[in-house]
Amino acid sequence: MKEQFQALIDDVKRQLQAIKDPQLIEKLEVEVFGRKGGFTGLLKRIKDLPETDRRAIGQFANEAKTRLKDLFHEALGQRPKKREEAMDITEPGHPPRPGLGHLHPITMVRDELAEIFRSMNYEVFEGPELDTEWYVFEGLNIPPTHPARDIQDTFFVKRDGVKHRGHIDRWVMRTHTSNMQIHVLEERKPPVRAVAIGRIFRNEATDASHEHTFHQLEGFAVDRDISVANLIHTLTVMLESFFRQTVKVRLRPGYFPFVEPGFELDCSCILCGGRGCSVCKRSGWLEMLGCGMIHPNVLNAMRVPEGMRGFAFGMGLDRLAMLRYGIDDIRLFHSGDLRFLNSF
Amino acid sequence: MQLSYQWLKDLVSPLPSADEVAKELTLRTCEVESVLALDAILEALIVGEVKTVSAHPHADYLQVTSVDIGKKRLLTIVCGAPNVRPGLRVAVASAGSKVFDEKGERFEISEREIRGVRSQGMLCSPRECGLGGEHSGIAELPAKARVGRSVRSVLGVDDTILEIDNKSITHRGDLWSHVGIARELSALFHRPLKINAPPQIREGNDVQFSVNVESPEVCLRYMGCVIEGVNVGESPKWMQDRLRACGFRPINVVVDITNLVMLEWGQPLHAFDAARVHLNDRKDKQIIVRRAKRGESLATLDGEQRRLDPSMLVIADPSGALAVAGVMGGADSAVSEKTTSVVLESALFDSVSIRQTSQALGLRTDAAQRFEKRLSPEITELAFRRAVELLTTVAGGSVASPVVDRFSKPAVAAMKSVRRLRVLERDVASFLGMDVSFKKLLPSLSGLGLSPTVVNDALRVIIPSFRPDLELPEDLIEEIARLIGYASIPAKPLRGILQPVVEGKEQMLERDLRMLLVALGFQEILRYSFYGEAERRASGVAASGHWQLENPLSEDLRYLRVSLLPGLLASVTTNQKRNPVMRLFERGRVFHDEEERTRLTIVMTGATAREIFFELKGIVEALLHRLHLTPSLRIPSADVTASDDEWLFALSTRLQWTVDRECIIQLGEIASSASQQLGVKVQTVAATLFLGRMCRHYQPIAALPKALKFPSVLLDLALVVDESVRWADLEPILRKAGGEVLREIELFDVYRGDPLPPAKKSMAMHLEFNSLKATLSLPVAETLKTRLVNEAKRRFQATLR
């Protein structure tokens, strides 16, 4: 490399002796230092050199540059001089091109929760969005006559059903990620700790706080001696890790067919700390999720061995994202509107 | 459901404040959504008389009224209610007073312009008055109400309303009543319950009355009798107050009694005008409980003609249907002012059958809502006796027939069998994660009607018929836990074996891709899993190749997507005006064939398709490099069966990367047909990553290529070839000629134009020669370069530039 730089310098020297026209001298200078010039070409190759050589050659290249510049200055009858270019460091920086991209806020929440649960020894799943009634309903102790099966809540798909336990299960868009309770236990033997995060669907008219497509995290643990106290601890730790603040939680009675007993879990308002504000409607509490001890009928459907039990909980991600980022219209998530998405 | 606090106070005393009651119910029984003190609200509303009603000059659905509120001047009020008419007494909220919106929150009325007409207040609906229920029209006050007085003084309501979230009591049929809630309160607050069993009925014998239950499988119990001499007028004020507080409009004394007993005991009742119920020419009456006949129809109380089918249960007489059982009565047999005798019904129907009927008819009445839950056959009788008591004491009637009581076998069994549950103290302690003492809970458990006994560490209870929800030991543990109070359960960390949780390969691949794309300036978006006809057409896949929803919310959400691209293109359309240059991606599921698949689709827009094509191709190459994937590049021929997504790409620029003949990535410009279909006006290129297939070949960890030890020789080469010679043709030839010493060929410029002849192009490239064995000399490299040139000459008639 050194030789090549030296050859360039010699070559320029030789040529300059022959040219006297200042315009031609300038042209030659452009040729040497221009984008496709000899010097630039050599400089570009430095990066391909082994790390050990790069430094020395780089230094040599700098010297060569000064030498070449001086030659041109001399040829143009100028005294070699260096002009310190002024630099206003308060000018704005140049934005990166292309600009930075963004993850969707739901993805950010999803990744963060997955990480929290992995750190607590939970396996993370997503599971099918299009599933059969056994996994979405019957296996979860929601028999065909249950109100949650009402056609107005569930999207049914025109597709030949699947024979299961003597009757035909229809295909539905899952109405919760709880379908993964059954799927996971088909593949894993307890003890099991798992969360399923994914899209769910409800046949509901949309408005600022209702969507037909949203996201849910379903978590469950199956083992010996699991207690309600374990459930409370797990959820408190999860909420504290997510919101990065200490929170209080309280359980209230709640009814979900796949747990017994079932609870609604409220979390002390993360905005006012429980003193009461407009977000928590002055109550100091935010309704956060539904949870409970897995119903014995569901444990049966999961073929969980005698003597084991578990807890389960389901939480909406969209609401978490709305709370965290102060979003007031749930429909923005699927709008594909870049004005909204670029603000993250 | 709305509860009257005053009513509860009659049933449990002394009762703590309404707020305290609401709090304890919420924490231990069911969710109380709101507590409304009615008196304060009604005090601020004024009785007005509508004087004139005229059309609004600028709005078809609005009317302009002048209303007398006892002041010198009439108020001008704009009103949209269909029932506003001159002479009507109405509840007027003048500027400054507060009323309730649809969500039960209070808002202040102010004087304001409504479509160009100044409105000096509002005429309130019952719900806006805090009386709940109807919102379809304005509240109609009694004609004798004095204009200018407060609505409270007219209605005399002095109560607080507790509104219960119906969803929180779906499994507890017993809680759909004041008696049921009172029982809870008595257990929670340790206060005595003051409920008297209604008196036995003194049967009559003047009228023959018979009941024929033809469908006992869905009619578990049916009680009825004929009551004569009823004086159907207004009900007494105390009854009206209770009904209003619960959101019911008083109608007449008979209907009010059936509603009141339903609100008290949770048992829906029905009274037929006995004149409309026949057996034969004499005054004998017969009720038949049967399934509706095919094609049968009935005019229901709400004035609608209902078509019935055999899945529905009707109450009929020999000449035809009188009511849809458990859902709604018929208009013809409804009790009116002319009614003098009634047939009273208290029955228990199958919950599933009622729910299906009410759904099929779109009639979720208060009765149907209760019958949908499992109710107690014992309460059927208590409520019947209570209604008879009120009809005789308040409405002046007397029982003219024997009481008929038809039981189905399951109901008899349910009544006779004694259900017990038993749990052990240590089991409950382990389940809850805290110490439990049954002894302390005995009074509360008795309060719930569970007849508890404790022997050693075992608790036994007998389940009353009104608690069919208590079936398993876990159900009993729930009762124990809420009586202790959930707040006393501590938080305890889960114990168990710790095993490392390794992120799945697919999750790693997706995370890597996401992070790389974001770093490259891509914005992630999410689209619905469903789309409509426009996207379906753009996808190029026939409707029969799409799964479809049976019950879509709208036509634009009818198909399950087979590709992420149509949705992304729709997003391009939404944003193209503001952002002509976009970098977007979506990761999501697509649905076709048997399997659901995960895709990641990237879309780029820009000024020239050529430029962004190579930009995106470069990005895909960089991604592949980063993921240690080395697929081969293929130009799919048009006659090959279209693979997924292929229809969306323009044929001329379609490219695929394949591993073992499986396409893992497809890239190209968007076909103009698809762009047009979705209104895309900017140049767009896209790449679809088939994540499942990619994942099969993806190795998260790969050994690095051998590091070069000796210096490379870098040489440049520019070849002039025919336009028809593609890089994909030239490159392998050069590589072969160069052998393994030729490490890298970087095509850095392609030039077309002067001084080259037409249909020729110059391809300029950097060549890197390196031997792993020794330092390569320049002459050796030059020789190799010459070999490349010669080979290019031989194969493609290339010339040096």
Side-chain angles (χ1 to χ4, degrees), chain B residues 37-45 98 106 152 157-159:
Chain B
L38 264 188
D39 44 356
I41 298 150
L42 294 177
E43 188 62 47
L45 303 179
K98 285 186 174 172
R106 292 186 76 177
R152 180 189 173 197
V157 181
D158 185 13
D159 203 345

Side-chain angles (χ1 to χ4, degrees), chain B residues 560-776:
Chain B
L560 271 66
R561 58 183 177 183
V562 298
S563 162
L564 304 181
L565 251 180
L568 279 159
L569 293 177
S571 285
V572 168
T573 306
T574 319
N575 294 292
Q576 61 192 357
K577 274 219 174 109
R578 285 179 300 268
N579 312 56
V581 177
M582 278 176 266
R583 294 184 162 203
L584 307 175
F585 76 97
E586 177 173 15
R587 172 263 176 221
R589 294 284 172 78
V590 297
F591 307 85
H592 51 90
D593 308 333
E594 293 307 307
E595 261 177 274
E596 179 177 334
R597 299 196 175 97
T598 312
R599 295 273 169 81
L600 191 153
T601 298
I602 309 172
V603 163
M604 275 178 74
T605 66
T608 66
R610 186 189 189 83
E611 201 167 294
I612 49 175
F613 177 91
F614 286 107
E615 234 178 298
L616 183 56
K617 191 178 172 197
I619 286 169
V620 168
E621 285 164 350
L623 293 177
L624 287 169
H625 179 74
R626 187 57 183 266
L627 300 169
H628 317 297
L629 282 166
T630 50
S632 32
L633 194 60
R634 177 175 86 176
I635 298 178
S637 53
D639 55 329
V640 172
T641 327
S643 74
D644 305 326
D645 266 20
E646 216 163 274
W647 288 101
L648 285 143
F649 293 98
L651 279 175
S652 55
T653 58
R654 217 169 53 187
L655 273 182
Q656 292 181 346
W657 280 266
T658 62
V659 179
D660 300 342
R661 298 187 164 188
E662 248 186 0
C663 172
I664 60 165
I665 299 180
Q666 174 150 267
L667 177 145
E669 290 170 30
I670 295 301
S672 56
S673 55
S675 293
Q676 276 162 20
Q677 185 73 51
L678 296 171
V680 174
K681 300 241 158 53
V682 289
Q683 296 294 338
T684 311
V685 296
T688 292
L689 281 58
F690 303 94
L691 292 180
R693 294 184 211 153
M694 260 178 105
C695 191
R696 278 204 288 281
H697 305 289
Y698 162 67
Q699 294 300 331
I701 297 159
L704 291 173
K706 271 220 166 71
L708 302 178
K709 266 193 269 180
F710 303 101
S712 296
V713 177
L714 303 175
L715 296 173
D716 283 0
L717 171 64
L719 292 170
V720 177
V721 292
D722 282 351
E723 189 60 71
S724 63
V725 177
R726 300 178 312 167
W727 178 244
D729 306 323
L730 185 59
E731 192 201 0
I733 298 301
L734 297 177
R735 279 197 186 274
K736 207 173 157 205
E740 66 168 5
V741 179
L742 174 59
R743 289 275 142 211
E744 211 51 76
I745 309 183
E746 184 198 338
L747 178 71
F748 70 87
D749 189 37
V750 179
Y751 178 76
R752 298 170 174 90
D754 286 339
L756 299 177
K760 293 273 185 191
K761 61 184 172 188
S762 156
M763 300 177 107
M765 58 205 95
H766 300 305
L767 306 174
E768 181 185 8
F769 294 97
N770 188 298
S771 162
L772 292 174
K773 294 178 195 122
T775 305
L776 210 60

Side-chain angles (χ1 to χ4, degrees), chain B residues 486-504:
Chain B
Y486 292 158
S488 24
I489 306 177
K492 285 185 184 166
L494 205 57
R495 286 167 187 278
I497 299 158
L498 284 183
Q499 274 169 330
V501 176
V502 183
E503 201 179 16

Side-chain angles (χ1 to χ4, degrees), chain A residues 36 45 48 50 98-104 106-107 110-111 115 118 121-130 144-147 149-152 154-160 170-171 173-174 191 193 199 201-206 211-213 215 221 223 225-234 236 250-255 260-264 281 287 293 295-297 309 311 331 333-339 341-342, chain B residues 25-31 105 167-168 170-171 352 355-356 359 372 427 429-433 472 474-475 477-478 482 486 489-504 507 510-511 514-515 517-530 547-553 557 560-561 571 574-575 578-579 582-587 589 591 593-596 598 709-711 714-716 749 768:
Chain A
K36 293 185 177 174
R45 292 203 209 160
D48 303 326
L100 293 172
H102 313 269
L103 287 179
H104 193 282
I106 294 289
T107 307
R110 175 192 191 131
D111 284 353
E115 217 34 63
R118 266 196 206 103
N121 222 231
Y122 284 72
E123 225 181 323
V124 180
F125 296 89
E126 182 172 15
E129 293 171 9
L130 173 58
T145 52
H146 194 276
R149 295 286 286 270
D150 284 0
I151 186 126
Q152 56 259 40
T154 310
F155 286 117
F156 289 91
V157 175
K158 291 184 192 165
R159 176 174 179 178
D160 290 339
R170 287 176 297 173
W171 288 91
M173 300 308 293
R174 64 172 168 191
R193 295 181 188 183
R199 269 191 188 198
F201 309 85
R202 302 270 169 92
N203 194 345
E204 265 190 349
T206 58
E211 251 288 16
H212 55 75
T213 298
H215 301 81
D223 204 342
D225 297 328
I226 284 191
S227 66
V228 176
N230 296 152
L231 173 67
I232 296 173
H233 180 267
T234 304
T236 310
R250 71 171 191 192
L251 296 184
R252 289 184 286 114
Y255 173 65
E260 183 60 46
F263 311 107
E264 296 273 1
K281 292 185 190 134
E287 274 186 41
M293 301 297 282
H295 195 284
N297 293 354
R309 60 177 175 247
F311 62 64
R331 289 167 298 191
F333 288 131
H334 289 88
S335 65
D337 188 335
L338 293 178
R339 284 172 298 180
L341 293 169
N342 282 337
Chain B
L25 278 178
T26 297
L27 288 176
R28 309 223 249 169
T29 304
C30 57
E31 188 172 344
E105 291 187 21
K167 271 189 294 215
S168 71
T170 42
H171 60 308
V352 174
R355 201 169 71 82
Q356 282 163 350
Q359 235 176 53
E372 279 175 22
D427 289 346
S430 145
F431 190 97
L432 298 178
L472 303 167
E474 285 79 2
D475 296 320
I477 296 178
E478 176 171 25
R482 60 191 192 89
Y486 292 158
I489 306 177
K492 285 185 184 166
L494 205 57
R495 286 167 187 278
I497 299 158
L498 284 183
Q499 274 169 330
V501 176
V502 183
E503 201 179 16
Q507 288 165 336
E510 288 185 14
R511 198 193 40 186
R514 269 204 303 273
M515 297 330 286
L517 287 169
V518 165
L520 287 164
F522 284 85
Q523 170 64 55
E524 183 186 21
I525 67 172
L526 296 178
R527 301 286 309 186
Y528 292 137
S529 304
F530 315 122
W547 299 121
Q548 292 183 39
L549 293 181
E550 251 168 48
N551 51 337
L553 260 178
L557 299 167
L560 271 66
R561 58 183 177 183
S571 285
T574 319
N575 294 292
R578 285 179 300 268
N579 312 56
M582 278 176 266
R583 294 184 162 203
L584 307 175
F585 76 97
E586 177 173 15
R587 172 263 176 221
R589 294 284 172 78
F591 307 85
D593 308 333
E594 293 307 307
E595 261 177 274
E596 179 177 334
T598 312
K709 266 193 269 180
F710 303 101
L714 303 175
L715 296 173
D716 283 0
D749 189 37
E768 181 185 8

